[in-house]
């Protein structure tokens, strides 16, 4: 039996401590960019999970108008938030525990893959720097970009997987497959950004391959195919709906025309040194967010000690620093915005990758600077360099962000124009206000006349006894079926809005989203893929213990 200090048990206890520490300063929700959106998502999942279902269209939240977020926005990785909310009978407490849970996973995953390449102490430092990086905290607080923040949890797995395969560790291809798949099941745009950087890393490593090219490509093909089947549960419904009709998605803001690169560079250095979590009013879109003081120091010290770094860390330093500084070069982004890559929406999103690259370099720099004689003192100093700037950022953010005391007052119809049919945009007011049309006359339904069930809405009105066409306050999506008195009604898509042929036999019309056979098959294939890989992982761990 291994001695305790030779195992990773103390490390994981330390990670639990740091995970709790991470959430303590934000134990009161504050108004953030996407807070309303994600709270509604968590509450919807909680309602549906209680009833043994996963939502495709959201019927309990977002004003009960059948918002198709489950189809167009990955939701599987926020299930823990919903489960914790159910257990604790509080959405707010569920969010806190969810952040602790994913912070622990971020520390753990980063540590596991880092330890495969460097010594244990280096891996620990890399994990702490990355997890407490300024941009990750921004994602969890200022922006509350929950999908992107959760994607950062799995980012180290994907990059290690590619590096391992390209360096001849073919059996580690699942890290790439499932790291990327987990990112995809968290946030689409983060997947796009990570794929771009994975491509850059692949091209850079490819030129150094001298043998076993076939084996490497076989491993990569395995990873790509596994990634595809593992994410079918999301991509199949997504593609079915997008191929059926044009859906409005969040657009990319324009790049400011009047822009001083010198001024913005000054502001980003200033905001990094202050570890500011809030978007700068001076820098606007491109000066919005930063990597923070710790990783800015990594760039500075890394340049000074460049010759002492190995080739991997030199490359990551260059890539991380370039990604950071390019964010503030408008001419570069004006060119990018002329390509499909403008769909990443905001230049600062690339900082999620820069944060990881610079964390790796930072961990290795600490290991270079530490010796056996000074390791305790140096360790305390570097821990302070990581945590004090982080605390400064938290303090400055809490001074300006209004505290949320009642989440029930958060607007339920946030972003109603997004993820809805393009042809329905002029009618969304009627949908949001539950206005039906019977014999071309408006009929306003009260809130208690719209009844929610998982993936189902029941509309009730005495006017529905009319025998003929009724326009429901609901956008039309492939898979929606309408019933009246238990009888399937003929339904049609009229400019993105659902129109049914009422039989007049009841004052109630029930509309339910029904998954197609191909969607059910996709769910099953993805589930089997994940179960098989988890089973293989458990068996592999069991063999090592023998």
């Amino acid at each position: 039996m291994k001695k305790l200090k030779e195992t990773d048990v103390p490390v994981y206890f330390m990670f639990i401590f740091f995970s709790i520490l991470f959430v303590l300063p934000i134990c009161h929700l504050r108004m953030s960019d996407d807070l309303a959106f994600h709270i509604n998502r968590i509450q919807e999942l909680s309602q549906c999970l209680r009833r043994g279902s996963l939502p495709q269209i959201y019927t309990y939240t977002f004003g009960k108008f059948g918002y198709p977020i489950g189809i167009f926005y990955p939701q599987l990785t926020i299930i823990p938030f919903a489960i914790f909310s159910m257990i604790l009978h509080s959405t707010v407490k569920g969010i806190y525990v969810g952040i602790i849970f994913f912070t622990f996973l971020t520390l753990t995953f980063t540590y596991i893959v880092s330890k495969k390449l460097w010594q244990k102490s280096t891996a620990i430092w890399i994990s702490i720097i990355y997890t407490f990086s300024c941009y990750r905290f921004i994602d969890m607080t200022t922006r509350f970009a929950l999908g992107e923040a959760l994607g950062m949890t799995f980012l180290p797995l994907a990059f290690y997987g590619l590096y391992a395969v390209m360096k001849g560790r073919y059996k580690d291809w699942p890290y790439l497959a499932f790291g990327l798949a987990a990112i995809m099941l968290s946030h689409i745009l983060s997947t796009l950004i990570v794929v771009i950087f994975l491509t850059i890393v692949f091209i850079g490593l490819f030129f150094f391959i001298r043998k076993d090219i076939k084996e490497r490509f076989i491993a990569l093909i395995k990873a790509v195919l596994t990634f595809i089947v593992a994410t079918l549960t999301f991509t199949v419904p997504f593609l079915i709906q997008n191929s059926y009709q044009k859906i409005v998605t969040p657009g990319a803001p324009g790049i400011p025309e009047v822009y001083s690169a010198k001024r913005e560079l000054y502001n980003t250095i200033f905001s990094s040194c202050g570890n500011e979590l809030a978007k700068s009013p001076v820098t606007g879109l491109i000066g919005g967010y930063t990597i923070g003081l710790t990783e800015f120091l990594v760039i500075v010290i890394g340049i000074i000690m460049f010759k002492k770094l190995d080739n991997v860390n030199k490359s990551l330093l260059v890539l991380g620093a370039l990604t950071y500084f390019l964010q503030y070069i408008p001419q570069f982004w004006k060119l990018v915005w002329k390509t499909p890559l403008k769909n990443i929406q905001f230049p600062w999103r690339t900082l999620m990758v820069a944060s990881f690259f610079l964390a790796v370099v930072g961990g290795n720099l600490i290991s270079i600077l530490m010796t056996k004689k000074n390791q305790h003192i140096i360790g305390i100093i570097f821990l302070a360099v990581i945590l004090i700037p982080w605390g400064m950022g938290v303090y400055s953010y809490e001074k300006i962000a209004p505290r949320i005391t009642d989440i029930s007052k958060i607007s339920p119809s946030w972003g109603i124009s997004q993820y809805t049919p393009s042809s329905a945009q002029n009618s969304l007011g009627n949908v949001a206000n539950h206005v039906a049309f019977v014999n071309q006359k408006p009929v306003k339904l009260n809130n208690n006349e719209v009844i929610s069930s998982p993936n189902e809405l029941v509309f009730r009105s005495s006017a529905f006894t009319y025998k003929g066409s009724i326009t429901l306050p609901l956008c039309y999506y492939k898979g929606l079926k309408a019933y009246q008195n238990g009888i399937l009604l003929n339904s049609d898509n009229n400019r993105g809005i659902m129109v049914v042929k009422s039989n007049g036999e009841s004052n109630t019309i029930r509309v339910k989203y029904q998954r197609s056979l191909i969607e059910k098959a996709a769910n099953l294939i993805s589930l089997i893929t994940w179960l098989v890989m988890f089973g293989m992982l458990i068996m592999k761990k069991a063999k090592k213990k023998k």
Side-chain angles (χ1 to χ4, degrees):
M1 189 173 179
K2 289 184 177 180
K3 293 180 181 178
L4 185 62
K5 67 179 182 179
E6 293 176 351
T7 70
D8 288 328
V9 173
V11 175
Y12 294 128
F13 273 111
M14 180 177 65
F15 286 170
I16 292 172
F17 167 77
F18 278 122
S19 300
I20 296 171
L21 176 66
F22 184 89
V23 84
L24 283 179
I26 53 171
C27 58
H28 294 286
L29 281 182
R30 295 179 182 274
M31 199 60 214
S32 309
D33 293 355
D34 294 349
L35 181 66
F37 178 70
H38 291 297
I39 281 181
N40 276 274
R41 294 177 69 211
I42 293 167
Q43 290 177 328
E44 182 78 24
L45 275 167
S46 296
Q47 291 284 357
C48 291
L49 288 172
R50 284 191 185 99
R51 295 161 177 81
S53 179
L54 280 176
Q56 293 293 79
I57 62 168
Y58 283 28
T59 55
Y60 292 94
T61 56
F62 291 102
K64 300 200 300 187
F65 69 89
Y67 208 18
I69 294 300
I71 297 172
F72 297 108
Y73 204 110
Q75 62 184 1
L76 292 182
T77 52
I78 66 166
I79 288 177
F81 288 88
I83 293 174
F84 294 138
S85 297
M86 291 161 56
I87 294 172
L88 300 170
H89 305 288
S90 167
T91 302
V92 175
K93 291 178 182 177
I95 289 173
Y96 299 150
V97 178
I99 293 174
I100 291 172
F101 174 71
F102 278 99
T103 297
F104 177 76
L105 288 185
T106 305
L107 286 161
T108 300
F109 290 157
T110 308
Y111 172 70
I112 288 171
V113 296
S114 298
K115 199 172 69 163
K116 287 178 172 290
L117 299 174
W118 297 284
Q119 60 186 11
K120 185 174 180 176
S121 59
T122 304
I124 292 172
W125 284 113
I126 292 171
S127 303
I128 295 172
I129 295 172
Y130 178 59
T131 303
F132 282 82
S133 61
C134 183
Y135 186 72
R136 181 176 178 274
F137 200 78
I138 285 170
D139 265 355
M140 285 291 192
T141 54
T142 312
R143 299 184 61 218
F144 202 73
L146 197 56
E148 186 176 318
L150 300 187
M152 289 185 72
T153 301
F154 310 104
L155 184 149
L157 301 176
F159 278 100
Y160 167 75
L162 176 65
Y163 180 81
V165 169
M166 297 304 286
K167 285 295 183 178
R169 300 181 182 182
Y170 314 124
K171 292 183 179 180
D172 280 352
W173 63 263
Y175 285 93
L176 172 59
F178 289 99
L180 196 58
I183 296 172
M184 182 68 169
L185 295 175
S186 303
H187 194 238
I188 301 175
L189 298 183
S190 293
T191 311
L192 173 61
I193 292 168
V194 171
V195 168
I196 292 170
F197 278 90
L198 285 172
T199 304
I200 294 171
V201 172
F202 170 80
I203 293 171
L205 292 173
F206 181 77
F207 290 105
F208 295 96
I209 296 177
R210 296 292 180 266
K211 59 181 181 178
D212 299 332
I213 294 177
K214 180 181 176 181
E215 287 78 2
R216 286 173 170 81
F217 274 95
I218 289 174
L220 288 176
I221 291 170
K222 287 180 183 178
V224 171
L225 292 177
T226 304
F227 161 74
I228 291 172
V229 296
T231 55
L232 286 177
T233 184
F234 170 73
T235 55
V236 167
F238 179 86
L239 293 173
I240 287 174
Q241 296 297 337
N242 275 284
S243 62
Y244 173 69
Q245 62 186 338
K246 185 178 179 181
I247 301 295
V248 175
T249 54
I255 299 298
E257 292 297 327
V258 181
Y259 192 92
S260 167
K262 183 178 179 181
R263 182 195 70 190
E264 300 307 330
L265 185 58
Y266 167 80
N267 274 286
T268 184
I269 293 173
F270 181 80
S271 60
S272 289
C273 292
N275 228 69
E276 293 186 15
L277 302 180
K279 184 162 59 176
S280 166
V282 179
T283 55
L285 172 67
I286 299 189
Y289 301 110
T290 184
I291 57 172
L293 176 60
T294 302
E295 295 197 322
F296 185 77
L297 288 175
V298 169
I299 293 176
V300 174
I301 297 172
I303 292 172
I304 296 170
M305 300 182 60
F306 193 76
K307 291 183 178 180
K308 293 187 177 182
L309 296 173
D310 59 27
N311 289 333
V312 172
N313 281 279
K314 286 178 180 177
S315 301
L316 292 178
L317 176 62
V318 171
L319 275 174
L322 277 177
T323 302
Y324 171 55
F325 287 113
L326 275 176
Q327 186 190 180
Y328 308 97
I329 308 299
Q331 291 78 11
F332 173 76
W333 289 104
K334 285 177 183 178
L335 293 174
V336 172
W337 251 232
K338 294 178 182 178
T339 73
L341 295 182
K342 71 178 183 179
N343 288 316
I344 68 171
Q345 297 179 347
F346 306 110
W348 65 65
R349 277 192 162 134
T350 58
L351 294 181
M352 63 186 296
V353 179
S355 295
F356 175 61
F357 287 174
L358 294 174
V360 172
V361 178
N364 279 276
L365 283 172
I366 292 173
S367 294
I368 292 171
L369 291 169
M370 290 178 71
T371 64
K372 288 185 178 180
K373 291 182 179 180
N374 67 7
Q375 61 180 344
H376 297 297
I377 296 174
I378 295 295
I380 292 171
I381 291 172
F382 280 116
L383 193 60
V385 169
I386 296 169
L387 296 181
I388 290 176
W390 170 76
M392 289 166 49
V394 173
Y395 176 74
S396 64
Y397 172 67
E398 291 206 342
K399 284 177 65 177
I400 63 170
R403 181 180 293 187
I404 302 298
T405 56
D406 185 0
I407 63 172
S408 65
K409 293 181 179 180
I410 295 176
S411 173
S413 57
W414 187 95
I416 184 175
S417 63
Q418 299 174 1
Y419 309 111
T420 47
S422 175
S423 55
Q425 296 303 300
N426 293 332
S427 303
L428 290 181
N430 292 328
V431 172
N433 293 305
H434 302 302
V435 178
F437 285 85
V438 180
N439 195 20
Q440 298 183 343
K441 295 179 181 179
V443 176
K444 175 72 168 67
L445 304 180
N446 296 324
N447 194 55
N448 61 357
E449 292 176 316
V450 182
I451 304 166
S452 303
S453 292
N455 290 305
E456 180 179 310
L457 283 172
V458 175
F459 302 100
R460 186 171 292 159
S461 171
S462 58
F464 291 167
T465 56
Y466 169 78
K467 191 173 182 179
S469 293
I470 295 178
T471 301
L472 297 175
L474 182 67
C475 292
Y476 190 92
Y477 303 100
K478 202 173 180 67
L480 288 181
K481 305 291 182 183
Y483 298 86
Q484 191 173 29
N485 199 28
I487 300 171
L488 178 65
L489 302 179
N490 290 327
S491 58
D492 194 17
N493 182 348
N494 182 16
R495 296 182 180 179
I497 304 298
M498 189 170 194
V499 178
V500 300
K501 188 74 172 179
S502 170
N503 58 28
E505 295 182 7
S506 170
N507 68 345
T508 299
I509 296 176
R510 180 170 64 94
V511 180
K512 184 176 180 63
Y513 180 86
Q514 296 180 342
R515 291 176 173 86
S516 65
L517 183 61
I518 189 171
E519 288 177 88
K520 292 177 181 178
N523 289 341
L524 182 60
I525 292 170
S526 291
L527 177 62
I528 291 173
T529 302
W530 284 98
L531 290 176
V532 168
M533 292 308 298
F534 277 128
M536 290 173 62
L537 177 64
I538 293 170
M539 290 174 61
K540 186 178 179 180
K541 291 288 184 183
K543 286 181 180 179
K544 283 186 177 181
K545 288 183 179 180
K546 290 182 179 179

